[in-house]
Amino acid sequence: MLPLPFNPPINKIFLPEFSKNGVEVHIQRDDYLHPFISGNKWRKLKYVVEDAANKKCNHLVSFGGAYSNHLVALACAGAMLKFKTTAFVRGENVNNHMLNFCKWYGMNLIFVSREAFKNKIELYEEFAKKNELTYFIDEGGRGELGAKGCTEIIKEKTGFTHTFCAVGTGTTLAGLAINASQYSIKAEGICVLKGAEGINQDVENIAGINVPIHHNFHAGGYAKTTPELLSFAKHFAQNTGILLDQIYTAKLMFGILQLINQNYFEPNSKILAIHTGGLLGMLTAIE
Ligand SMILES: *Cc1c(COP(=O)(O)O)cnc(C)c1O
């Protein structure tokens, strides 16, 4: 199964712009958990693969785009734990480093049109008729079992007032919010998609509480970037040694920085940002 290999360390960010008004920003290095089952994907898969094994399934079936961190993580975890893996990939048959990692780990890829991809249950049920002992995992590993793994992100209070993570499906934030509330830490999310206000309800449905999500730091939409975002991520890498991927964690840290500049936080707030990994996705941005 997927017990956590270790508790990831927390690094303080020593950059003047991150320490205005006595505010401190620290970053929990979940990106260290595993290079391919990266960051939150390890946590999100932990109880999903346990459930699959309990149900005596041996074939994990999931869904994603052509650059999905979730699919690479699933392919690797499947190989580690001796599950077969199949993924429905949205869009035309393409080749890229992410899908090549999936194939290298033995994942069976089925490319489907954007139209067909919308009906995941139907795709899964057709597939399950012809294959034995299959187990359905939603796109991005979203859902309650995924969130359950994320309720283990924070291990102790250590004086933090806030914790922040990037939001795709909101599954990580939902688990983090349940986790943080035990330590009276306020959890908030930075959404990386445009026009995704509906996620607030998804998060509330799982977490059972209202969790603030900032919807103005998506830089144009999912996987979109701006020159400011990329130069921020480079500056951050060059002055901390910490890589941020342009799709999730750069938007997270740039969002936190902008909130600091807007005096959103009380003086002396202590913020714990979660580095959810995703660094393989950087290879498309680096030139
Ligand atoms: C998948 C991913 C997320 C999004 O997590 P959700 O639980 O879907 O909100 C955040 N950060 C990174 C690096 C990811 O790969």
Side-chain angles (χ1 to χ4, degrees), residues 40-41 44 69 140 166-173 245 248-249 276-278:
N40 62 342
K41 301 303 183 280
K44 285 166 74 168
N69 290 322
V167 172
T169 65
T171 301
T172 304
L173 179 62
D245 78 296
Y248 294 102
T249 52
T276 42

Side-chain angles (χ1 to χ4, degrees), residues 159-200:
F160 291 108
T161 54
H162 297 75
T163 183
F164 274 73
C165 71
V167 172
T169 65
T171 301
T172 304
L173 179 62
L176 180 64
I178 294 170
N179 185 198
S181 69
Q182 294 160 356
Y183 299 105
S184 315
I185 301 171
K186 218 169 159 266
E188 301 190 16
I190 303 281
C191 190
V192 305
L193 298 92
K194 187 171 161 182
E197 283 74 12
I199 289 176
N200 291 53

